[in-house]
Amino acid sequence: MTDSVRTLTPSEPRAIPLAAPAIGGNAWAYVKDCLDSNWVSSVGAYVDRFEAQIADRTGVPCAVATVNGTAALHVALLVAGVEPDDEVILPALSFIAPANAVRYAAAWPVFLDVEPDYWQLDPARLAAFLIGECRDVNGTLRRIATGRRVRAVLPVDLLGHPCDITAIAEIAREHRLLVIEDATESLGALCRGRAVGSGADIACFSFNGNKIVTTGGGGMIVTGDAARAARARYLTTQAKDDPVEFVHGTVGYNYRLTNLQAALGVAQLEQLDVHVAAKRRIARAYTTAFRDLACLRPMREAPWAFSTFWMYTILVDSSRAAVTSRALIAALASERIQARPLWQPLHRSPAHARDTSHAACPVADRLHRDGVTLPCSVGLTEADQQRVIDLVVDRIAR
Ligand SMILES: *Cc1c(COP(=O)(O)O)cnc(C)c1O
């Protein structure tokens, strides 16, 4: 029997999802407007409005909507000038999309460990890698072990918390590397008072169903470089040079967002601050409830950061807790509460680990072993959150 056809008995607890979308505000009106006007496809006023709204929100002049965040990353790498056989530096802990996007561009990801405090790409590791493992060959930065050109660094703002883009961008500048920021998990977050996405050469956002605002599926590229934005717009719309004669200057992609999706996006962005406030309230309640549990360590917010706490995550210290992270997830599942581990570190992923050699990433490994992401939907009720808290406290301490 699948979950959807299972009948609920009165004693069965209500399911609490990990992160469900919160559709509200003008969503119905704007989507209906598309349907009524027949502007449902890949051009339309809502696409333009959605792009302008993201540009405004991030303070980055140019925004190009895409079909999803992975496509945004792919095209961002292309317009940044990443070429086949280049290397691109990524954090070892992330959802797999940015590593896949690097391979779509026929380049190679190099994974560096994250730092233990806020779990983001470690600027100190980045500097050590560039100084110790790369060298300048006739004006080109090359990795000594492979001889390949190192072209860009692709930090990820993980779990709603910004990476230290200020430090990363400065190190990148010294080594003439481009910075492509994967801000897909962290729209609304700030690094030293500046919106994520604004401190990089190019940045990407995602509007997948579990992100802080959603279009069902969607993405965005932002950049201050108008030529790169124009190139991104060209590549995402099949690289059409002559719309009448259908002349295409290169191999392009059908990566454009539809007006229908953008209409939902415009309505969702109007709710962004409400969603961020809800995520932060949920995070505060969890962190307060877990304050006295020495075997459990909640995610933190750096003094220089404003986090959205997109996916509220705790580390279970299995040497002190009564359960491991995976046993806690199973215990929650048996009460119909959805929780999950963090992603398999990319230097261990069968999809990528074989390709090239990677340094040890002990912090990413530990976060993978101990991490548990707890339910944190924007619409999570206080009563449901209390159920999660009670169960975690009960299992951890026993
Ligand atoms: C969600 C996400 C993406 C993009 O995902 P799409 O589903 O393609 O929109 C990219 N990188 C990271 C780190 C993500 O979490």
Side-chain angles (χ1 to χ4, degrees), residues 67-73 93-98 156-159 182-185 204-211 217-219 310 340 343:
V67 71
N68 56 53
T70 309
L73 286 163
L93 187 75
S94 169
F95 178 57
I96 199 169
V156 182
D157 302 301
L158 281 164
L159 300 168
D182 181 338
T184 53
E185 300 185 355
C204 297
F205 293 98
S206 165
F207 309 103
N208 184 37
N210 69 3
K211 299 289 153 77
W310 167 62
R340 72 174 191 202
W343 316 276

Side-chain angles (χ1 to χ4, degrees), residues 182-317:
D182 181 338
T184 53
E185 300 185 355
S186 300
L187 178 63
L190 307 174
C191 176
R192 295 186 171 82
R194 291 186 62 192
V196 293
S198 65
D201 294 297
I202 310 177
C204 297
F205 293 98
S206 165
F207 309 103
N208 184 37
N210 69 3
K211 299 289 153 77
I212 196 149
V213 293
T214 185
T215 57
M220 193 78 74
I221 299 166
V222 298
T223 177
D225 184 323
R228 284 202 179 113
R231 183 76 183 166
R233 198 172 293 284
Y234 177 71
L235 288 177
T236 53
T237 52
Q238 305 278 30
K240 201 182 286 179
D241 287 337
D242 185 327
V244 178
E245 297 291 341
F246 285 91
V247 176
H248 301 265
T250 186
V251 177
Y253 304 89
N254 181 12
Y255 279 175
R256 200 73 181 131
L257 191 74
T258 68
N259 202 47
L260 256 181
Q261 290 166 306
L264 180 53
V266 170
Q268 284 273 290
L269 269 184
E270 291 171 355
Q271 306 290 315
L272 176 59
D273 290 327
V274 174
H275 290 193
V276 171
K279 291 276 190 189
R280 287 180 62 88
R281 177 174 41 70
I282 291 163
R284 225 168 14 245
Y286 274 133
T287 299
T288 304
F290 299 148
R291 204 173 27 201
D292 299 327
L293 296 174
C295 54
L296 190 159
R297 144 98 149 84
M299 70 193 298
R300 295 181 184 142
E301 183 178 51
W304 44 265
F306 176 85
S307 173
T308 66
F309 291 89
W310 167 62
M311 281 285 178
Y312 187 84
T313 302
I314 56 173
L315 301 183
V316 176
D317 180 349

